[in-house]
Amino acid sequence: MTETIPYPTGTGPLNQIRPHLQDGQLPASGAELLISQGLPWETVARHVHDLGWWRQQSPVSSRPPILPWRIQSWDATLRIRASDVDIWIDPGPEAPISGTAPSLVIVTHAHYDHVAKLGDISASFPETRVVMSDGTYELLWMRADVDAELRRCLETRTTRLELGVQRLVEGVELTLLPAGHLLGASMVEIRLGEDTVLVTGDFAGRDVGGVPGASWPEGEYSLVLIEATPVNQESLPVADSRSNRMPFLREIAQLRSQGKTRILVRAQALGQAQELYAALALAQQAGAFPDFRVRLTGFAEAVSRHYYDALRAISRVWGCAYYRLETAEIPSDSIVISSEGVDSLPARALVEAPDGAYVGTPLVYTHSGWGERMTWSMGIASYAVGLYGGYSSSLHSALLEGGRRAKALSTRGEEWLTEKYG
């Protein structure tokens, strides 16, 4: 029999949606009922993975772009050109170093696959401005002590934008919108002439690690470019955070039932560790694992300090001070979340202990799921949608079947010229 793990009921529309969920997904009948009861379409739709339901939805359209936008993609990196403007977004490890200086470089968030070449590009073109949010700047600064070029870029070439405030930078009107996913992560509105392009970067419409879900974009866009890291239409992640977190919580409960009193969980420091902490913190607030103390250590703890400072006034997860691992050995009755490897001293001490357990990096979801991406693609007013950062055949085909103009961008720099869109 599967143990029932306490978890907060939460507030808002999800309380109406959750009773209808089946394995975290909302069936078509439940979706129609909730919409008829007055819940916003975009709030309901993100929970639906039923292709038949999506075939009955109509995309919200806007006029075609006026400018001939040229768009290229190398995994997470985008190059966007129109008129004399040449914008690079998220210079990741596959980004080429252009022969000409970009007009502007924009960073959506601090993950390595979005910033690996930032220092190189900034060093090659020192006059080019780099734009990012305050939260992204702060997380990148934590890594700048081992990367001189990144430090120089942050110190002398970076413009920090407040989320939700439009700014004119190098002749381009920019607005950064909250993207969920990671502290400081942002979607980008690029307005040039009469055209506006929305780039989502990595996003999530639900709470991730205590970071509130992405803001719903209310504008009309010539193009929407959506990060499309492959996801399975049939499975997790889903738009309900609790459903995504339960497999991990059940693993902890199983170890506890086996008598394990010291548990080490390894996770990536930026995002994964905080999502695991959120799962445990909320479960404990509801009464689960009362005999354990959750602790953070290593770089994961340093990043979590930023989460605590930024979110404690608004987040149930970070409303109370967290505990850090203060000793070389893990105390009894502890769950430790670490970004360090099993060869670190705390991990070795744990592995040798007869009552300890090591949990390899769990399956943790910090990106948007299939239903969330369908909702953004179909529900935001746009002329066409471009998918980049990977290829999800089920997402692309579902958009075409639903009547949305959609282009799957190559990860090797194939150009999409919008004036030739057929």
Side-chain angles (χ1 to χ4, degrees):
M1 183 176 178
T2 302
E3 179 180 352
T4 300
I5 299 172
Y7 195 89
T9 57
T11 59
L14 192 55
N15 277 345
Q16 295 173 256
I17 293 173
R18 185 167 285 130
H20 300 272
L21 295 178
Q22 299 174 8
D23 297 325
Q25 298 181 24
L26 186 61
S29 58
E32 292 305 316
L33 175 63
L34 291 166
I35 291 172
S36 71
Q37 293 174 350
L39 264 67
W41 180 90
E42 64 271 16
T43 300
V44 173
R46 64 188 67 184
H47 296 272
V48 183
H49 288 217
D50 185 325
L51 184 55
W53 186 83
W54 279 107
R55 288 193 183 109
Q56 299 173 28
Q57 308 306 304
S58 298
V60 182
S61 296
S62 66
R63 62 164 178 78
I66 294 174
L67 297 173
W69 293 86
R70 295 175 179 268
I71 300 167
Q72 293 173 276
S73 168
W74 296 266
D75 292 333
T77 301
L78 284 173
R79 184 184 188 184
I80 300 176
R81 289 175 288 170
S83 301
D84 296 326
V85 173
D86 186 355
I87 301 173
W88 287 75
I89 299 177
D90 289 345
E94 302 302 318
I97 303 297
S98 173
T100 57
S103 306
L104 196 61
V105 174
I106 303 172
V107 175
T108 64
H109 66 288
H111 279 146
Y112 174 81
D113 59 326
H114 293 254
V115 299
K117 292 282 186 68
L118 177 59
D120 294 338
I121 289 179
S122 183
S124 299
F125 307 107
E127 301 305 315
T128 297
R129 297 305 300 169
V130 177
V131 172
M132 64 185 68
S133 71
D134 286 327
T136 295
Y137 179 94
E138 291 167 0
L139 290 184
L140 285 179
W141 187 253
M142 297 175 68
R143 296 169 44 181
D145 59 341
V146 295
D147 187 330
E149 290 299 342
L150 177 58
R151 182 170 65 249
R152 191 173 296 112
C153 171
L154 295 174
E155 287 178 334
T156 64
R157 300 161 193 162
T158 297
T159 297
R160 300 158 67 175
L161 298 189
E162 183 180 351
L163 295 179
V165 177
Q166 187 179 79
R167 285 275 300 275
L168 186 66
V169 184
E170 302 298 331
V172 182
E173 293 181 12
L174 297 177
T175 307
L176 302 184
L177 302 174
H181 178 61
L182 180 70
L183 188 65
S186 58
M187 298 182 286
V188 186
E189 287 185 351
I190 302 169
R191 183 174 179 81
L192 194 60
E194 296 183 44
D195 288 350
T196 305
V197 175
L198 175 69
V199 179
T200 67
D202 290 348
F203 77 100
R206 63 190 185 280
D207 175 287
V208 174
V211 176
S215 297
W216 178 254
E218 299 285 355
E220 291 192 6
Y221 301 96
S222 309
L223 301 170
V224 174
L225 304 177
I226 292 186
E227 171 270 327
T229 303
V231 292
N232 187 336
Q233 175 190 349
E234 303 301 326
S235 62
L236 298 172
V238 292
D240 175 34
S241 295
R242 182 169 73 172
S243 297
N244 293 315
R245 293 165 177 166
M246 273 301 157
F248 167 66
L249 293 175
R250 291 192 186 102
E251 184 175 5
I252 295 298
Q254 182 177 19
L255 293 172
R256 177 176 171 272
S257 69
Q258 294 170 357
K260 307 299 183 183
T261 62
R262 291 186 283 182
I263 300 171
L264 177 68
V265 184
R266 185 181 180 186
Q268 294 175 358
L270 270 68
Q272 280 195 349
Q274 293 74 39
E275 173 64 359
L276 295 174
Y277 177 79
L280 289 166
L282 292 174
Q284 285 197 314
Q285 289 175 25
F289 317 126
D291 48 347
F292 275 85
R293 176 165 287 180
V294 180
R295 306 172 192 267
L296 290 148
T297 188
F299 192 43
E301 186 275 325
V303 172
S304 297
R305 193 179 316 131
H306 281 270
Y307 271 66
Y308 173 73
D309 291 341
L311 301 172
R312 59 184 173 182
I314 63 170
S315 171
R316 190 171 184 175
V317 173
W318 301 100
C320 301
Y322 62 86
Y323 295 96
R324 59 179 297 180
L325 182 64
E326 301 283 0
T327 63
E329 293 190 4
I330 297 177
S332 184
D333 300 325
S334 292
I335 302 171
V336 174
I337 301 171
S338 173
S339 53
E340 314 304 323
V342 292
D343 292 331
S344 65
L345 180 59
R348 189 180 308 116
L350 175 68
V351 170
E352 292 174 354
D355 59 350
Y358 170 71
V359 179
T361 303
L363 198 56
V364 179
Y365 302 101
T366 63
H367 291 74
S368 55
W370 192 90
E372 291 172 298
R373 292 176 192 174
M374 282 296 295
T375 303
W376 255 249
S377 299
M378 294 285 282
I380 296 172
S382 67
Y383 176 74
V385 167
L387 306 175
Y388 75 99
Y391 180 65
S392 173
S393 59
S394 64
L395 184 66
H396 187 208
S397 61
L399 291 177
L400 295 176
E401 290 183 38
R404 172 63 85 195
R405 298 179 184 89
K407 170 73 172 179
L409 295 169
S410 167
T411 60
R412 299 187 179 276
E414 176 188 358
E415 186 175 77
W416 178 22
L417 179 58
T418 58
E419 70 177 0
K420 295 180 180 179
Y421 192 93

